[in-house]
Amino acid sequence: MNQGPFMLNGNCENNVRLHHSPILGVSRVLDSLLIVGLLVALHYSYHAEFTVLHAWLALVAILAFSFVSDTAGLYHPWHGLPMAILARQLMVIWLIAGTVTLLTTLPFPSAFPRNQNILFAWLLLTPLALIAAHWVRRTALAALRNRRPLRKRVAIVGATRLGERLGQAFEAQPWRGCHVLGFYDDREDFPPEQRRLPDNRVRVSGDLDQLVADCYAGKLDLVFLTLPMEAEDRTHKLVRRLADSTVSVYLVPDIFHFDLLYSRLTGMQGIPAISIYDSPLAEQGWSKRLLDLGLGVPAMALLAFPMLAIAIAIKLDSPGPVFFRQTRYGVHGEPIKIWKFRSMSVCEDGPTIQQAQQEDERVTRVGAFLRRSSLDELPQILNVLGGSMSLVGPRPHAIAHNEYYRQHIEGYMLRHKVKPGITGYAQINGYRGETENLEHMAGRIKYDLDYIRNWSLWLDLKIILLTPTHGLVSEYAY
């Protein structure tokens, strides 16, 4: 009796395994050996004894380098940064690891007087050696993998912007040994918003029937599906057809259709998940907190006398308290009380708050100077030390303003994925003081969200350094 094809039903217990690259594991080991080997070689060249203490330093350096590398994703398969950016990242990673290592020598000052040249030469030469090693590794892999039979022939299904971006990524990473033979798409007669990219932007080799024929003929090794999310049925049918071939099929979800906010790939028991709106501090908040305390404590000590002088000036200028606390939204939208020097004759904190305007009669004489120079914000260092604010982050707005703008600006509340700050990315780019209209506030929110997307400790330090020249004075600060 003639029967149809027997279908293999999916198992609900199937899961997605994390890809592990043996080469990246070897790279991690080689980098560690390079760190130790360079220290030993320098001792040998200086005819110095390599002691247990120096072995301890090498171990600390390896542990610190490995920890920071994992945080930066250096050995993740999807890393694939251009060599120039990778070199800069390696320099930053070693700067942190080397600083930690150097700090471990402080309890043993008598152990290093003769070997200081070795120590500093090691700290200086190691990042250069690491960069050279990664370059050699990539060059060797590119030469090896781009020879048959190791070279992989790749097809991208979907002449989409995502597919184009994927093709460019393959071209930028020759050490992967993947050669894109062409794109396959059959959407010529679709509506304009769903139509494929023109042939002058990507090399379209044929429609989906042609793809299946090329796979059956053994012309392809890897197939990457980058069709739009609404093409679920077409994707499912194509995958079923490709099951009758030996190609490896990869699904690339078009998550870039969304306005991502610090997106991350994660998973639970083999179930993959990609965050659309996430916080960069979900796992790295401790490092930002250390920066806040490391700079906030000495800043409080240095500013104690100037703040005392400001308090006296406020008291002599007008009746009322020196400080006032106003309710704002903190991280996750939770209400917090922020400290400010009183700069007005009123201390508003209610459902309706009028923003300060030019020649506002509520602003006192001392308050006008404090607001123009941002000195009225100095007491918020207390919020930083208490943990409700950070030195750098989106500026907190009055709750009344928050409730208004969240209804008129899409994604407004995403700025509360991190703690508010005394200064921020928007402020050093000119968005400070009164927001005259929705367009001005939308510009501020754009910088706030860009800060969250691109957050790093180095960005925080950059903003702090630029604040005195770019963030303290503004034509909109009344």
Side-chain angles (χ1 to χ4, degrees):
M1 182 173 61
N2 186 23
Q3 296 180 344
F6 179 74
M7 303 304 297
L8 295 176
N9 294 322
N11 187 339
C12 63
E13 294 183 358
N14 286 344
N15 54 31
V16 179
R17 295 167 179 82
L18 182 64
H19 172 70
H20 294 282
S21 172
I23 292 179
L24 291 177
V26 172
S27 297
R28 183 192 293 267
V29 173
L30 292 178
D31 287 346
S32 298
L33 292 176
L34 181 61
I35 293 172
V36 179
L38 187 57
L39 183 59
V40 174
L42 285 170
H43 276 79
Y44 179 80
S45 64
Y46 276 85
H47 304 288
E49 181 185 3
F50 188 79
T51 66
V52 174
L53 186 58
H54 298 115
W56 165 255
L57 282 182
L59 177 60
V60 171
I62 290 173
L63 293 176
F65 183 82
S66 297
F67 177 79
V68 181
S69 296
D70 283 342
T71 302
L74 181 64
Y75 298 107
H76 289 175
W78 55 81
H79 198 256
L81 294 175
M83 194 62 220
I85 299 178
L86 175 62
R88 185 175 63 186
Q89 189 175 60
L90 283 168
M91 293 286 288
V92 171
I93 291 173
W94 178 251
L95 177 62
I96 299 173
T99 301
V100 172
T101 305
L102 195 60
L103 290 175
T104 62
T105 68
L106 297 181
F108 314 101
S110 61
F112 293 95
R114 290 189 306 165
N115 298 323
Q116 284 184 354
N117 290 337
I118 297 177
L119 182 61
F120 288 116
W122 178 57
L123 293 174
L124 179 64
L125 294 177
T126 296
L128 302 179
L130 288 169
I131 292 170
H134 278 258
W135 179 82
V136 169
R137 206 170 299 146
R138 285 187 171 188
T139 304
L141 282 174
L144 177 64
R145 284 177 165 175
N146 281 289
R147 294 182 179 181
R148 293 297 295 172
L150 294 179
R151 190 181 194 187
K152 299 297 184 181
R153 299 163 297 176
V154 175
I156 297 178
V157 180
T160 61
R161 284 191 295 271
L162 175 61
E164 182 183 31
R165 180 174 173 182
L166 179 62
Q168 293 169 349
F170 279 124
E171 291 180 6
Q173 302 176 72
W175 59 88
R176 290 186 179 273
C178 294
H179 177 58
V180 179
L181 294 184
F183 290 74
Y184 293 81
D185 205 318
D186 56 3
R187 294 177 300 143
E188 294 181 83
D189 300 327
F190 277 49
E193 65 274 8
Q194 299 180 25
R195 201 166 296 164
R196 72 187 194 190
L197 297 177
D199 290 353
N200 63 344
R201 287 185 57 177
V202 296
R203 185 174 65 256
V204 179
S205 301
D207 58 16
L208 302 189
D209 289 334
Q210 183 63 50
L211 168 74
V212 173
D214 288 347
C215 290
Y216 288 175
K219 296 180 180 180
L220 298 169
D221 300 305
L222 307 176
V223 174
F224 288 82
L225 307 180
T226 65
L227 292 171
M229 296 184 70
E230 55 267 24
E232 180 181 356
D233 290 340
R234 293 168 60 230
T235 300
H236 187 266
K237 291 177 182 177
L238 178 60
V239 170
R240 295 279 294 273
R241 295 177 67 187
L242 293 177
D244 195 27
S245 72
T246 60
V247 298
S248 297
V249 182
Y250 292 81
L251 177 63
V252 185
D254 189 11
I255 61 169
F256 302 100
H257 176 76
F258 303 99
D259 189 14
L260 303 178
L261 183 74
Y262 205 86
S263 180
R264 294 188 302 158
L265 176 65
T266 184
M268 286 71 66
Q269 291 189 342
I271 303 173
I274 302 175
S275 61
I276 304 299
Y277 303 133
D278 203 350
S279 169
L281 303 178
E283 296 178 350
Q284 302 184 53
W286 61 270
S287 59
K288 187 172 176 66
R289 182 61 179 154
L290 287 178
L291 180 67
D292 287 339
L293 294 175
L295 297 181
V297 171
M300 188 66 191
L302 290 173
L303 295 173
F305 285 108
M307 290 175 66
L308 178 61
I310 292 173
I312 294 173
I314 292 173
K315 203 65 180 175
L316 295 175
D317 179 56
S318 62
V322 170
F323 302 100
F324 86 99
R325 300 178 69 193
Q326 193 175 61
T327 305
R328 303 286 173 95
Y329 281 150
V331 66
H332 307 310
E334 297 176 354
I336 62 173
K337 291 284 188 177
I338 69 165
W339 290 86
K340 298 188 71 171
F341 279 125
R342 181 178 59 84
S343 59
M344 292 185 172
S345 57
V346 296
C347 297
E348 296 179 331
D349 186 17
T352 57
I353 298 178
Q354 180 183 351
Q355 284 190 343
Q357 301 175 351
Q358 196 168 12
E359 298 181 0
D360 196 315
E361 295 182 353
R362 299 172 299 165
V363 179
T364 65
R365 289 175 300 175
V366 171
F369 169 74
L370 296 178
R371 297 177 72 88
R372 283 195 302 269
S373 59
S374 297
L375 293 177
D376 60 322
E377 314 286 358
L378 286 182
Q380 286 164 33
I381 293 180
L382 297 173
N383 290 99
V384 173
L385 297 180
S388 59
M389 288 182 63
S390 179
L391 290 174
V392 181
R395 285 293 301 151
H397 301 151
I399 285 184
H401 301 154
N402 257 28
E403 294 303 319
Y404 172 79
Y405 287 118
R406 71 187 301 179
Q407 299 176 30
H408 294 84
I409 299 176
E410 184 179 357
Y412 175 89
M413 289 300 291
L414 292 176
R415 65 198 302 271
H416 294 290
K417 298 294 289 184
V418 298
K419 291 180 182 179
I422 296 179
T423 185
Y425 194 41
Q427 281 61 49
I428 66 169
N429 283 282
Y431 286 90
R432 180 181 171 271
E434 182 192 15
T435 49
E436 297 178 320
N437 48 53
L438 280 177
E439 289 75 17
H440 194 269
M441 178 59 80
R444 176 183 289 188
I445 302 308
K446 177 184 180 299
Y447 277 107
D448 288 342
L449 298 186
D450 284 346
Y451 166 76
I452 296 175
R453 290 189 184 99
N454 302 294
W455 176 84
S456 69
L457 289 178
W458 305 107
L459 180 58
D460 275 5
L461 291 172
K462 176 183 175 181
I463 292 172
I464 291 172
L465 292 174
L466 289 178
T467 292
T469 56
H470 291 73
L472 293 183
V473 179
S474 169
E475 59 179 313
Y476 296 105
Y478 309 130

